[in-house]
Amino acid sequence: MISWSRIFALMVKELRVLFRDKRTRFVVIGPPLIQLLVFGYAATFELKQAPIAILNQDRGILSQEIIGRLEGSDSFEVVAYLHDQQKINQLINEKKALVVVSFPADFSSRLLKEGTTDLQVIVDGRNSNTALLAQNDVAGVVQTFNQLWAEQHNLKQPPITLVPRNWFNENLENN
């Protein structure tokens, strides 16, 4: 059985041999540094112009305000305005839309009368990282609306609750 002190001594010896030659030093240190610089600028966790579809069964002023906020966001590009739920499956299956925001028929009236309502967000979960980014960006738009609405109407709780639904990868697990 080899002791830990012998393994440590062997590691030190190999590292000394490895760093003795300048060319070997470059081969060991150079590529990771280059990767760090290149991937550090190339990798981004921002969502830009993600395709989004809107299913607005409400047609009220409040749903229109949130839709306007989504349209004005740099994160999304509205690719479709749906009139019924039948097209949702096709848009997500064909990867024409990453997100579908679905406003129920009583969205504005419930928000005005009861002070609270739900908003469904359907996300294509095949790419879990992108799905989470899209879901968070929609949540950010709704949160901004929630803060303003709660301040104007003296509410203690957020008026709109997001109901996320992830297709093809319900738990957004990485493969």
Side-chain angles (χ1 to χ4, degrees):
M1 188 117 197
I2 299 177
S3 69
W4 287 107
S5 62
R6 292 183 81 188
I7 291 174
F8 182 72
L10 184 61
M11 286 174 39
V12 169
K13 177 192 132 311
E14 291 298 328
L15 285 172
R16 282 185 183 158
V17 169
L18 190 66
F19 286 114
R20 190 176 296 156
D21 183 23
K22 285 184 180 183
R23 287 177 291 171
T24 308
R25 229 180 293 155
F26 176 75
V27 169
V28 171
I29 296 174
L33 284 176
I34 293 170
Q35 289 175 350
L36 181 68
L37 292 172
V38 170
F39 293 146
Y41 289 107
T44 180
F45 295 107
E46 288 184 59
L47 201 58
K48 295 282 187 191
Q49 302 299 312
I52 186 173
I54 307 290
L55 173 60
N56 188 4
Q57 298 171 329
D58 177 50
R59 305 275 187 240
I61 190 74
L62 298 174
S63 63
Q64 293 297 327
E65 184 176 339
I66 294 174
I67 290 169
R69 290 172 183 263
L70 290 168
E71 290 171 334
S73 169
D74 289 338
S75 300
F76 302 111
E77 177 186 354
V78 178
V79 294
Y81 294 95
L82 306 175
H83 303 291
D84 59 34
Q85 295 181 349
Q86 307 304 322
K87 296 280 185 183
I88 294 174
N89 192 23
Q90 178 185 356
L91 279 173
I92 292 180
N93 277 342
E94 295 175 1
K95 296 184 179 182
K96 292 181 180 175
L98 173 65
V99 179
V100 177
V101 178
S102 176
F103 293 87
D106 61 348
F107 180 83
S108 293
S109 62
R110 280 190 62 200
L111 191 55
L112 291 169
K113 289 178 186 172
E114 300 171 21
T116 182
T117 189
D118 294 334
L119 178 62
Q120 186 177 38
V121 179
I122 303 168
V123 182
D124 181 355
R126 287 177 272 204
N127 183 336
S128 59
N129 291 335
T130 305
L132 280 171
L133 289 172
Q135 198 169 310
N136 288 338
D137 284 355
V138 171
V141 169
V142 171
Q143 183 180 9
T144 302
F145 176 85
N146 277 346
Q147 288 174 339
L148 292 172
W149 185 264
E151 286 174 11
Q152 291 171 354
H153 295 85
N154 296 323
L155 299 175
K156 303 277 187 233
Q157 63 184 11
I160 300 173
T161 304
L162 283 182
V163 180
R165 183 166 177 215
N166 304 308
W167 283 13
F168 306 116
N169 184 0
E170 208 170 297
N171 297 323
L172 294 180
E173 296 172 352
N174 288 330
N175 296 340

